[in-house]
Amino acid sequence: MGIVELLPLLMFVALAFLLFSGFPVAWVLGGVGLGFGLIGIAADELAFIQFSTLPSRIFGGVMENLILTAIPMFVFMGTMLEKSGAARDLLNCLQVLMRRVPGGLALSVTIMGTILAATTGIIGASVIMMSLLALPIMVERKYDHALATGTIAASGTLGILIPPSIMLVIMADLLSRSVGNLFVAAIFPGLILATLYMAYIVIRCWLNPSLAQPISEALGPQTRGGVVVMILRSFVPPVILIGMVLGSILGGVATPTEAAGVGALGAILLGFFNLVILPSMGVKDFTLEGPDASTQSATVVATSLWRKLVQFGRTVSGVVDSTAQTNAMIFGLFVGATFFSYIFRALGGDDLVISTVEAMGLGPWGLLFLLLGLVFVLGFFFDWIEITLIVLPVFAPIIAQLDFGDHVSRFDVVYWFAILIAINLQTSFLTPPFGFALFYLKAVAPPEVKIQQIYRGIIPFVILQLFGLTLVILFPEIALWLPRVLLN
């Protein structure tokens, strides 16, 4: 095999090397594609005219893809929940409700991570938010640092799997499959992982109570009415938002893209409720407080309401700015990945991969485990979006042709494979040295929390994730039954 035939392989080598350089990934992907495209022209493997098709692939493919329009709205929804204080109130509520359960605060963090995952797929925001809100309290209450950090990091990554997930939207586009089917297929696997986390926390804290000091009974409202107000104020609104998003998809009322719009609107209304309506009513810390509006002059009431509206406007402005920056990064990656994958295919990369796989003679199961192992190892060094944009376009056509007999039907193979990859990619946030959830957590953790404790804390949760992955491999109906029943 000559050097020209090895150009696609050399592309991956160059990409792997440059990803460690610290340059933005979008520029690395596009730069490697451009560089090897010029090499291909010099070697008479490509014609310069082929570059003219790239703009149409970008603006006629990525930029006009209606599925991808869901991403900005999901990002907006998650950021709005963070900035409006809804997440903080939810954690406070869950602490009170779980105070009699072993490891109640850690359990509250896990439940909160599950709820946030069902409203947004922004991992960085979820991990940082829960680290800022929960970790100082867990440290103050003498929680084992490894258990505390592992719980926060693992719970924060559930948003990559539980719909609505930005990763599933991108995977559906790359695989040319229904994003609605992927959303529904991911529900049970995501809930199983959350259940495994909670069972682990309860059992471990029950066996060794010194790992997690119980929450004080004095925390939160002491009357039944106060508890009801707390639940209505902090727990019910996020649940309603989940119902608006997932319910509209499962009920066939809206497509995932339309549901993203519903979720964005719901997040705005929830933010308005938290920042304007409740303070105006004097609702604070789960009780009715503040001066009676009837005893105040109209001018004072109007001024106070105006200040709250201005604060809400500033919050929305900040959310829009943060959303724009996040989406610019995501779609920049799309442009770079489009350039890279086009040049890779033009240089014969698909043929090289297929011939290599056939020469290995692994069979369907061997190839599946090889790909899962490859993705798991790549997760130690790269982010999920980089792995997704590089691996799926290359191997998805091969997976679609595999026959697993009676274990999985030919029609369901790609959906099953996508969920397996999604579960696998969740570990990429937790595995050192480049687990991004670990970086997010350490960046805002108290000084007494050491990186060694964080690394030690995530080990049980990575094992639980691999156990959940094994369950879906052995029992595909975990992922495939619900879409079949609801969406035919």
Side-chain angles (χ1 to χ4, degrees):
M1 182 179 293
I3 188 67
V4 174
E5 287 77 11
L6 289 177
L7 282 178
L9 178 61
L10 294 176
M11 283 186 71
F12 274 103
V13 174
L15 178 65
F17 176 77
L18 291 174
L19 283 175
F20 288 103
S21 67
F23 284 103
V25 177
W27 291 106
V28 170
L29 285 167
V32 171
L34 175 62
F36 276 83
L38 296 176
I39 293 174
I41 292 174
D44 291 329
E45 287 293 307
L46 294 177
F48 186 77
I49 193 64
Q50 289 180 264
F51 278 84
S52 64
T53 64
L54 283 167
S56 63
R57 283 176 172 268
I58 294 171
F59 293 100
V62 174
M63 299 305 175
E64 291 188 0
N65 192 324
L66 294 179
I67 293 177
L68 298 181
T69 57
I71 293 177
M73 290 181 283
F74 283 139
V75 173
F76 179 92
M77 180 171 61
T79 308
M80 190 69 199
L81 288 175
E82 176 194 0
K83 302 295 185 183
S84 67
R88 180 191 64 249
D89 295 339
L90 175 62
L91 179 61
N92 293 334
C93 175
L94 290 171
Q95 284 185 68
V96 175
L97 297 178
M98 295 289 134
R99 57 190 172 192
R100 292 186 176 90
V101 182
L105 183 52
L107 202 61
S108 300
V109 169
T110 305
I111 297 173
M112 178 183 174
T114 306
I115 294 175
L116 289 179
T119 55
T120 177
I122 309 173
I123 303 305
S126 296
V127 173
I128 291 175
M129 189 190 325
M130 291 195 293
S131 299
L132 290 172
L133 294 176
L135 189 55
I137 301 174
M138 298 172 92
V139 171
E140 179 184 342
R141 292 178 182 165
K142 308 301 181 184
Y143 261 67
D144 177 72
H145 289 178
L147 175 64
T149 55
T151 300
I152 291 173
S155 302
T157 61
L158 286 171
I160 206 65
L161 179 61
I162 296 178
S165 162
I166 294 173
M167 181 176 70
L168 294 179
V169 175
I170 295 174
M171 291 177 72
D173 175 61
L174 294 174
L175 296 171
S176 300
R177 292 297 189 273
S178 165
V179 65
N181 281 357
L182 276 184
F183 273 8
V184 178
I187 291 176
F188 279 170
L191 292 179
I192 285 175
L193 285 182
T195 303
L196 290 173
Y197 297 166
M198 289 186 281
Y200 166 75
I201 291 168
V202 171
I203 293 173
R204 191 172 179 201
C205 293
W206 177 65
L207 294 175
N208 188 0
S210 64
L211 294 175
Q213 298 297 323
I215 299 174
S216 172
E217 290 289 336
L219 179 69
Q222 301 301 307
T223 64
R224 181 173 299 178
V227 172
V228 171
V229 172
M230 175 190 67
I231 294 174
L232 292 176
R233 183 192 190 282
S234 305
F235 186 79
V236 172
V239 173
I240 292 176
L241 184 60
I242 293 171
M244 292 169 62
V245 177
L246 293 184
S248 60
I249 297 174
L250 300 180
V253 178
T255 65
T257 303
E258 294 166 343
V262 171
L265 175 61
I268 293 174
L269 296 177
L270 183 55
F272 186 80
F273 183 71
N274 275 356
L275 298 176
V276 179
I277 301 297
L278 288 180
S280 299
M281 295 172 59
V283 178
K284 184 179 180 182
D285 295 332
F286 318 127
T287 58
L288 293 173
E289 297 182 357
D292 187 353
S294 63
T295 65
Q296 303 179 52
S297 67
T299 302
V300 172
V301 172
T303 302
S304 176
L305 179 60
W306 174 251
R307 288 174 178 171
K308 294 179 179 65
L309 290 173
V310 170
Q311 179 191 1
F312 176 71
R314 289 173 178 169
T315 299
V316 173
S317 176
V319 169
V320 171
D321 182 66
S322 177
T323 300
Q325 293 183 39
T326 302
N327 282 289
M329 180 271 293
I330 292 175
F331 281 87
L333 284 168
F334 274 123
V335 172
T338 300
F339 208 146
F340 180 90
S341 60
Y342 173 71
I343 299 299
F344 179 78
R345 289 192 175 95
L347 291 175
D350 287 353
D351 295 334
L352 177 63
V353 171
I354 293 173
S355 61
T356 302
V357 169
E358 290 177 347
M360 295 174 69
L362 295 175
W365 286 103
L367 180 58
L368 176 67
F369 288 123
L370 175 65
L371 292 180
L372 292 178
L374 174 64
V375 169
F376 181 74
V377 172
L378 289 175
F380 281 79
F381 306 102
F382 305 122
D383 195 5
W384 67 268
I385 194 166
E386 301 159 19
I387 301 172
T388 302
L389 293 174
I390 294 170
V391 172
L392 282 189
V394 175
F395 291 103
I398 301 173
I399 290 294
Q401 302 302 317
L402 297 182
D403 184 2
F404 292 90
D406 296 334
H407 193 70
V408 182
S409 69
R410 292 291 293 271
F411 175 80
D412 291 329
V413 163
V414 175
Y415 288 108
W416 179 55
F417 174 70
I419 297 301
L420 295 179
I421 292 294
I423 298 172
N424 203 346
L425 283 173
Q426 190 181 345
T427 64
S428 69
F429 286 92
L430 301 179
T431 47
F434 298 113
F436 284 88
L438 311 183
F439 290 158
Y440 297 142
L441 197 157
K442 179 56 181 173
V444 297
E448 59 266 35
V449 177
K450 307 302 180 184
I451 191 66
Q452 295 88 344
Q453 296 170 324
I454 297 175
Y455 284 165
R456 189 171 71 249
I458 57 92
I459 293 175
F461 292 95
V462 171
I463 294 173
L464 290 174
Q465 288 177 342
L466 295 177
F467 179 69
L469 176 65
T470 303
L471 288 178
V472 180
I473 293 174
L474 296 176
F475 307 102
E477 290 301 302
I478 293 175
L480 302 177
W481 177 80
L482 192 60
R484 190 177 299 124
V485 171
L486 292 181
L487 304 177
N488 295 319

